[in-house]
Structure formats: C-alpha cells, structure tokens
Amino acid sequence: QLQLQESGPGLVKPSETLSLTCTVSGGSISSRTDYWGWIRHPPGKGLEWIASIYYTGSAYYNPSLKSRVTISIDTSNNQFSLTVTSLTAADTAVYYCARENYDNSGPLDYWGQGTLVTVSS
Amino acid sequence: IQLTQSPSFLSASVGDRVTITCRASQGIYTYLAWYQKKPGKAPNLLIYSASTLQSGVPSRFSGSGSGTEFTLTISSLQPEDFATYYCQQLNSYPYSFGQGTKLEIK
C-alpha cells in the first residue's frame, strides 16, 4: 500500500522560506506512470494545486506561485520536496503531497495526511 | 482553465438524491476528477475520467459529462456523505480545482 508523509516546520515567520518534504513508502517514486504533487488548503478557502514533478525532474507550477516555489525530487531517498520563499500570512495552509496517477489520466489517488503551516511572527 | 461549481452550498437530508455541477472555462474532454473533503482529513478521490468510480468508493456516487459540463450525483445521501466536494481538471497544467460545494445536513 502506497503511503505518503509530509514533514516540515509548523510555524514560520513572514518573509522566511518554507521547506517541506514528502517521503513515499510502499512504492517507487521513480515510477514511469506517476507524477508527484503538492496541494494546499488555506483555512476557510478551497484547494489549490501548487506544483508537480516527474522522476526525471520535469516539473510544472501554478503560475500564481511560480516565482516563489520550487519542487524537487530525490529518487535515491524516495522523497520529493517543496520550497516556498517570501512567505506571508496568505501562505498559511495545510500542505498535502499526493501522487498523480497517469495510468488513470492523472487524478490524485494517494495523499499524505497533510501538515499545517502557519506563517506568523 | 477555470472551474466553477454550483451550487456552492447545498442543504439536503439523508436519503436525498443530490447533484453537483462543475463547468470548465474551456473543453477538457473527460479529464475531470471529483474529491470529497472532510475537516482534518486529506481529500479522497471519488471519480476520475469524469465517470470512473475509484476503487472502494460506494456505488451511490456517480459522475458524468464531457467537454465543459460535468456532474457528480449521490443517489441516496448517507450521514457520512456530508462534506465538501471539489472537482479538478486534469486536461492541462496548471491543474485547477473548483471552489468547492459544501453539502450540509438539512
């Protein structure tokens, strides 16, 4: 059974940089049929897709965040990561990592439990 | 690609049949998924490719549509179905979600 687990700080200060890691177990992050993505859910708002990456390093970004976001992948450790710079209170959200299953046209079928990130001084 | 869900809020009773609509700003063939989101939990994939039921999802959930208009139907609401529902287009990056439909108990 595929499992994903987010890790990272729960509290970060405005203007600082957030780094999150997603560890994948029960399957290979080098799967040729999967992309790996980050999604966030700000309190009281809807879901927002942030970015996705393939095992080769090919990545796609949400244009609204692209200037501040970097997604990367570490196939040797079966992990992928997200970096968000210049944080503001608007970046406060639960951050999820998930698998995009291209065998089934790309839906997010496995998710981590989510990690709450609060941006506050 | 923008997705617009309607209604944004829906009040219904156990046993009711409900339908949620998702409209895309441009054609996306059948590259659409539906998720159920409960507070404190990760979203749960219900439907992909517009009408394919994800393994383990009850058959009272169904999806239809293609192009720009899609629907999610719950045939007979159960108490555990009260949640927020989101559509997501998978036709092209950046993938986008609808704004959500909150289904509440009447």
Side-chain angles (χ1 to χ4, degrees):
Chain A
Q1 176 81 346
L2 191 71
Q3 293 187 317
L4 293 85
Q5 178 68 58
E6 305 90 349
S7 58
L11 179 65
V12 287
K13 290 182 168 55
S15 80
E16 292 189 342
T17 295
L18 169 68
S19 293
L20 297 172
T21 296
C22 182
T23 301
V24 178
S25 58
S28 174
I29 205 169
S30 298
S31 166
R32 298 190 179 196
T33 59
D34 302 325
Y35 270 70
W36 305 92
W38 288 96
I39 302 91
R40 70 182 183 180
H41 190 196
K45 297 188 177 180
L47 298 171
E48 181 177 34
W49 179 84
I50 301 172
S52 296
I53 192 164
Y54 195 48
Y55 79 99
T56 59
S58 174
Y60 296 90
Y61 293 92
N62 187 326
S64 69
L65 296 167
K66 186 174 183 178
S67 64
R68 300 192 295 124
V69 167
T70 303
I71 190 170
S72 58
I73 195 162
D74 178 358
T75 55
S76 61
N77 287 308
N78 234 31
Q79 296 177 327
F80 63 106
S81 299
L82 181 75
T83 300
V84 185
T85 63
S86 305
L87 291 168
T88 71
D91 295 307
T92 294
V94 177
Y95 285 74
Y96 296 97
C97 59
R99 180 181 83 164
E100 295 177 7
N101 182 347
Y102 275 84
D103 267 350
N104 293 330
S105 302
L108 300 160
D109 60 352
Y110 284 92
W111 295 67
Q113 65 185 22
T115 186
L116 174 62
V117 175
T118 302
V119 181
S120 175
S121 55
Chain B
I1 299 173
Q2 292 188 334
L3 298 179
T4 303
Q5 291 181 229
S6 60
S8 294
F9 297 93
L10 181 56
S11 182
S13 301
V14 172
D16 284 354
R17 178 184 180 90
V18 299
T19 297
I20 299 168
T21 297
C22 178
R23 290 187 173 86
S25 59
Q26 62 190 73
I28 58 171
Y29 304 96
T30 58
Y31 292 108
L32 189 100
W34 289 96
Y35 302 88
Q36 179 190 67
K37 177 73 170 71
K38 295 182 177 180
K41 300 286 190 181
N44 183 45
L45 175 65
L46 300 174
I47 301 280
Y48 62 92
S49 298
S51 60
T52 303
L53 194 68
Q54 172 71 350
S55 176
V57 174
S59 59
R60 63 180 179 273
F61 291 92
S62 63
S64 65
S66 65
T68 60
E69 187 153 336
F70 302 85
T71 59
L72 172 70
T73 299
I74 309 173
S75 60
S76 178
L77 276 173
Q78 299 302 302
E80 61 268 29
D81 299 337
F82 292 95
T84 301
Y85 293 85
Y86 292 91
C87 57
Q88 183 196 22
Q89 66 84 15
L90 304 163
N91 181 70
S92 60
Y93 287 111
Y95 289 169
S96 47
F97 290 93
Q99 82 278 15
T101 295
K102 187 172 184 179
L103 178 54
E104 299 179 324
I105 300 174
K106 185 182 286 184

